[in-house]
């Protein structure tokens, strides 16, 4: 029997589910509140804790619906305590990671959208163990809510930058955005959500047409096709030209500034000539560049960090607004490109 996935339902779908059980409408509102407003847990206690629902309904739900979304297996804090990494077990035992990042203006949570990844970027650990499966919207929501419970102050942002390629799991990712933005749920503003993609052109176009006001971040990492193909297999499918065209379309439709992520890898994409190629590529676009210090992963011990300040200076001088991403959490392998889907303590990653 396929169990119903209530956490992945938007309010209308949940209402229809409740109507089909011939229950009063307000049960849908109560349940939606438990799912998305309370500090409920998303483990085996999921339905049991809902103490304003009748016992008989809880029994029915436990018999017919998914009863556990993410069970916290382990939590690690970075030495500076500005980052916490969570290892979650999903209902089928698949493991995923999420990260809580502490900034002066509030906490952000970085969630995974897939277990494993198909994209195969040479410098990233997320795809090193292959692709396991897509996450459901409910599993993305459960990550946000579980981390949110541990945040003392305000949840100031959500980044879809954990394991996986969000646009390769398009429908569930959009569903997640829709539910989390619902005022009956957390009512999070789309402007505080950032989606990072390696550049799936048709999906970026679809996203643009939906006119969601999310921040779009593009993992560019190279200023020309030859170099990009060498480190990112997706560059064999879509050229940089096609990618730039769709990015311009995105800014036209949404009036949002695009972020281009560029991880500097010593001896690969870090030469002044690369900076100048990048300037040519991005001139005139509503965008900014976020330079990322490359983080080490166990599978690739040849990648080394480069001089970010120097590269940033060239771009800034040429009117491409550029910032350098602060790396946090590398001591617990919670930094960019270090997330994966396997048990801890298995020699997952060398520290940066
Ligand atoms: N699949 C999406 C989102 C996940 S990765 C994407 O490609 O954007 C989040 C960011 O971390 C991306 O910009 C990715 O390119 C970057 N990243 C991957 N491996 C990295 C590493 N070893 N060091 C630093 N950044 C890395």
């Amino acid at each position: 029997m396929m169990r119903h996935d209530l956490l992945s339902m938007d309010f209308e779908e949940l209402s229809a589910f409740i109507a089909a059980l011939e229950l009063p409408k307000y049960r849908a509102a109560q349940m939606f509140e438990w799912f998305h407003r309370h500090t409920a847990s998303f483990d085996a206690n999921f339905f049991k804790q809902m103490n304003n629902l009748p016992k008989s309904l809880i029994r029915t739900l436990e018999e017919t619906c998914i009863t556990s979304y993410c069970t916290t297996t382990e939590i690690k804090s970075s030495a500076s305590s500005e980052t916490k990494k969570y290892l979650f077990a999903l209902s089928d035992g698949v493991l995923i990671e999420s990260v809580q990042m502490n900034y002066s203006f509030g906490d952000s949570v970085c969630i995974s959208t897939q277990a494993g990844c198909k994209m195969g970027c040479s410098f990233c650990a997320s795809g090193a163990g292959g692709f396991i499966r897509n996450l459901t919207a409910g599993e993305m929501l459960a990550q946000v809510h579980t981390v949110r419970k541990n945040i003392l102050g305000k949840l100031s942002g959500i980044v879809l930058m954990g394991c996986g390629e969000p646009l390769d799991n398009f429908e569930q990712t959009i569903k997640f955005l829709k539910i989390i933005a619902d005022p009956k749920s957390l009512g999070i503003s789309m402007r505080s959500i950032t989606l990072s993609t390696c550049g799936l052109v048709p999906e970026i176009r679809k996203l643009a047409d939906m006119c969601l006001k999310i921040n779009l971040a593009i993992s560019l990492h190279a200023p020309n096709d030859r170099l990009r193909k060498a480190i990112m297999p997706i560059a064999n499918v879509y050229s940089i030209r096609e990618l730039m065209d769709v990015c311009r379309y995105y800014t036209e439709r949404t009036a949002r500034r695009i972020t281009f992520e560029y991880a500097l890898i010593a001896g690969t994409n870090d030469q002044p000539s690369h900076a100048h190629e990048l300037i040519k590529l991005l001139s005139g676009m509503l965008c900014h560049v976020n330079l990322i210090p490359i983080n080490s992963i166990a599978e690739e011990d040849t990648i080394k960090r480069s001089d970010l300040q120097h590269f940033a200076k060239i771009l800034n001088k040429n009117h491409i607004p550029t910032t350098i991403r602060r790396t946090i959490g590398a001591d617990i392998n919670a930094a960019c490109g270090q997330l994966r889907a396997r048990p801890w303590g298995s020699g997952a990653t060398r520290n940066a």
Side-chain angles (χ1 to χ4, degrees), residues 123-124 161-162 164-166 196-198 219 221 261 292-295 297 336-337:
F123 45 84
C124 182
M161 289 194 188
E165 167 50 51
S196 179
T197 174
C198 64
S219 294
H221 305 315
E261 298 164 284
I292 311 177
I294 192 88
N295 295 305
I297 63 169
C336 297

Side-chain angles (χ1 to χ4, degrees), residues 304-317:
K304 296 275 178 299
R305 285 201 178 157
S306 182
D307 182 352
L308 292 116
Q309 298 292 349
H310 182 64
F311 204 85
K313 218 186 231 165
I314 302 177
L315 296 180
N316 275 318
K317 231 200 233 152

Side-chain angles (χ1 to χ4, degrees), residues 161-225:
M161 289 194 188
C163 206
E165 167 50 51
L167 296 186
D168 184 41
N169 185 12
F170 193 82
E171 249 173 65
Q172 291 301 306
T173 298
I174 297 299
K175 195 79 181 290
F176 162 80
L177 295 174
K178 185 177 170 197
I179 297 175
I180 204 133
D182 183 340
K184 288 188 287 303
S185 157
L186 284 188
I188 288 195
S189 152
M190 286 289 160
R191 290 167 192 275
S192 55
I193 300 178
T194 302
L195 183 153
S196 179
T197 174
C198 64
L200 304 190
V201 169
E203 283 75 17
I204 296 173
R205 184 168 291 275
K206 272 203 271 181
L207 199 61
D209 287 334
M210 290 177 169
C211 269
L212 301 172
K213 297 280 181 183
I214 55 169
N215 303 306
L216 185 64
I218 306 282
S219 294
L220 187 60
H221 305 315
N224 62 59
D225 285 322

Side-chain angles (χ1 to χ4, degrees), residues 11-26:
F11 187 67
E12 286 67 42
E13 289 166 337
L14 187 64
S15 301
F17 175 83
I18 286 297
L21 290 178
E22 299 182 345
L23 291 167
K25 269 194 187 140
Y26 68 87

Side-chain angles (χ1 to χ4, degrees), residues 262 264 266-276 306 311 314:
Y262 195 105
L264 272 190
T268 302
N269 61 0
D270 65 333
Q271 298 303 304
S273 63
H274 296 130
H276 288 287
S306 182
F311 204 85
I314 302 177

